[in-house]
C-alpha cells in the first residue's frame, strides 16, 4: 500500500542545509498497524508528512496504492488526501469558532449537500462516542473529546490510511488509552492502515509493525506477523 524508496528530505535553517531524512526506504502493507518511534529530531514527523504528500521530498519515490506521490501536483495531492488519507495531529487542529459537527464536516464541504454531509458527520461523531457533544465548540470540550472530534474528521472521508502524529501527546494516560483503542478498532474492524508516531513505548509495542528512526535513517523495522526484523 505504501512504498518508500531512497527518500531524502532537507530544510534550510539559519543559512545551513539540514538533512532530516537520509535515504529512507520502507514498505507498509494494507491493513497494517504501524508505530514510528525515535528521539526528537530523528525525522518522525517529517516522514509522516511526506508519506501523505504534505511536504515535497528532495529525492526518491513515494507510492501510495501504486500512485506516485512524488510526481503529483498540488491538485493531485489534494485529491489523494481527500480520497485515501486521514490525519490526526497532536494539537487537534480544530477550528475554534466551529462546533464539533462543523469541524467534522470541513473536509467534505464542497462535495455534498448540507443535509447529506451533516448525516455523515453525525455518524462519524457517533462512531467516536460524541454524538451528544456535536454542537459544542472546542473550548467546551476536553482534550480527549477534541482528539475524538479530530479522529471523526479523519474518518468522514472513509480513508484507507490514517496518519497520526503523537495523537496522545497532550492527553493524560487514561484518555490517551481510549484514543489508542479507537485507532486500533478502526484498524481491526474497518481494515484501515494506521501509521502512528508515538514517544510512548507501551503504545508502540502494541503495533503489528514497528519502525525506529535515528538521525534521519531507519534504525530498526520489525513485523510481528513475520517474526522478523530488518
Amino acid at each position: 500500500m505504501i512504498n518508500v524508496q531512497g527518500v531524502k528530505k532537507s530544510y534550510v535553517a539559519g543559512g545551513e542545509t539540514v538533512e532530516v531524512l537520509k535515504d529512507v526506504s520502507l514498505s507498509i502493507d494494507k491493513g497494517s498497524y504501524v508505530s514510528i518511534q525515535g528521539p526528537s529530531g530523528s525525522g518522525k514527523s517529517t516522514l509522516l508528512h511526506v508519506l501523505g504528500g504534505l511536504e515535497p521530498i528532495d529525492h526518491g519515490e513515494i507510492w501510495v496504492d501504486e500512485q506516485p506521490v512524488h510526481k503529483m501536483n498540488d491538485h493531485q495531492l489534494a485529491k489523494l488526501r481527500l480520497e485515501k488519507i486521514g490525519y490526526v495531529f497532536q494539537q487537534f487542529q480544530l477550528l475554534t469558532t466551529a462546533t464539533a459537527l462543523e469541524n467534522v464536516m470541513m473536509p467534505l464541504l464542497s462535495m455534498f449537500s448540507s443535509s447529506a454531509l451533516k448525516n455523515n458527520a453525525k455518524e462519524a461523531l457517533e462512531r467516536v462516542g460524541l454524538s451528544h457533544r456535536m454542537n459544542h465548540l472546542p473550548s467546551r470540550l476536553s482534550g480527549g473529546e477534541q482528539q475524538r472530534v479530530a479522529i471523526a474528521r479523519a474518518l468522514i472521508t472513509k480513508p484507507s490510511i490514517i496518519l497520526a502524529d503523537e495523537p496522545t501527546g497532550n492527553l493524560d494516560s487514561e484518555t490517551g488509552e481510549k484514543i489508542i483503542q479507537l485507532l486500533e478498532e478502526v484498524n481491526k474492524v474497518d481494515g484501515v492502515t494506521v501509521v502512528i508516531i508515538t514517544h510512548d513505548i507501551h503504545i508502540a509495542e502494541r503495533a503489528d509493525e514497528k519502525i525506529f528512526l535515528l538521525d534521519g535513517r531507519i534504525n530498526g523495522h520489525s513485523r510481528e506477523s513475520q517474526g522478523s526484523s530488518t
Side-chain angles (χ1 to χ4, degrees), residues 208-221:
D208 302 321
E209 188 169 341
K210 306 165 191 68
I211 296 171
F212 191 87
L213 284 182
L214 182 65
D215 297 330
R217 301 181 187 274
I218 293 181
N219 196 46
H221 189 177

Side-chain angles (χ1 to χ4, degrees), residues 21 42 52 74 87 94 126 131-132 135 159 175 192 199 204-205 216 219 221 227-228:
L21 297 177
S42 60
D74 289 344
Y87 293 90
L94 301 180
E126 184 175 357
S131 57
H132 63 299
N135 294 317
T175 305
V192 174
H199 278 101
E205 285 300 314
N219 196 46
H221 189 177
S228 63

Side-chain angles (χ1 to χ4, degrees), residues 43-62:
K44 301 185 302 298
S45 292
T46 299
L47 177 57
L48 207 69
H49 290 172
V50 301
L51 288 181
L54 290 177
E55 295 185 31
I57 59 176
D58 300 329
H59 177 81
E61 299 181 358
I62 298 176

Side-chain angles (χ1 to χ4, degrees), residues 29-35 184 187-188 192-194 196 203-211 221-228:
D29 295 333
K30 182 178 181 179
S32 297
Y33 190 95
V34 182
S35 65
E184 289 174 343
N187 170 251
K188 291 179 172 60
V192 174
T193 302
V194 175
I196 178 174
I203 292 175
E205 285 300 314
R206 288 160 64 166
D208 302 321
E209 188 169 341
K210 306 165 191 68
I211 296 171
H221 189 177
S222 64
R223 292 180 173 90
E224 272 191 12
S225 59
Q226 297 177 0
S228 63

Side-chain angles (χ1 to χ4, degrees), residues 13-213:
E16 295 185 0
T17 299
V18 179
E19 288 186 283
V20 182
L21 297 177
K22 307 170 184 177
D23 198 26
V24 171
S25 297
L26 61 91
S27 63
I28 296 173
D29 295 333
K30 182 178 181 179
S32 297
Y33 190 95
V34 182
S35 65
I36 300 178
Q37 286 183 283
S40 296
S42 60
K44 301 185 302 298
S45 292
T46 299
L47 177 57
L48 207 69
H49 290 172
V50 301
L51 288 181
L54 290 177
E55 295 185 31
I57 59 176
D58 300 329
H59 177 81
E61 299 181 358
I62 298 176
W63 297 81
V64 173
D65 280 351
E66 300 184 352
Q67 297 184 48
V69 177
H70 57 288
K71 293 183 178 180
M72 291 182 175
N73 58 35
D74 289 344
H75 175 74
Q76 292 169 325
L77 287 170
K79 185 173 185 291
L80 175 76
R81 290 191 291 265
L82 182 62
E83 294 178 348
K84 294 185 178 294
I85 302 173
Y87 293 90
V88 181
F89 298 103
Q90 179 178 353
Q91 302 296 336
F92 315 138
Q93 305 286 356
L94 301 180
L95 290 177
T96 58
T97 57
T99 65
L101 183 65
E102 291 166 341
N103 267 288
V104 174
M105 292 167 61
M106 205 64 62
L108 298 178
L109 279 176
S110 63
M111 298 183 62
F112 291 90
S113 66
S114 59
S115 60
L117 183 52
K118 279 186 179 180
N119 288 335
N120 289 344
K122 288 177 181 178
E123 288 178 6
L125 284 169
E126 184 175 357
R127 173 74 185 275
V128 301
L130 281 182
S131 57
H132 63 299
R133 305 282 275 171
M134 68 176 63
N135 294 317
H136 287 61
L137 294 173
S139 60
R140 296 184 58 197
L141 301 174
S142 68
E145 288 173 334
Q146 290 185 59
Q147 192 59 289
R148 280 190 278 165
V149 172
I151 293 174
R153 182 182 57 194
L155 291 175
I156 194 173
T157 61
K158 302 188 184 305
S160 55
I161 301 167
I162 285 183
L163 304 177
D165 192 351
E166 293 283 2
T168 65
N170 287 332
L171 307 175
D172 61 77
S173 58
E174 182 178 351
T175 305
E177 172 63 21
K178 292 178 181 178
I179 295 301
I180 293 302
Q181 288 179 358
L182 180 56
L183 290 173
E184 289 174 343
E185 177 188 322
V186 169
N187 170 251
K188 291 179 172 60
V189 176
D190 300 345
V192 174
T193 302
V194 175
V195 183
I196 178 174
I197 289 176
T198 180
H199 278 101
D200 190 323
I201 189 171
H202 301 293
I203 292 175
E205 285 300 314
R206 288 160 64 166
D208 302 321
E209 188 169 341
K210 306 165 191 68
I211 296 171
F212 191 87
L213 284 182

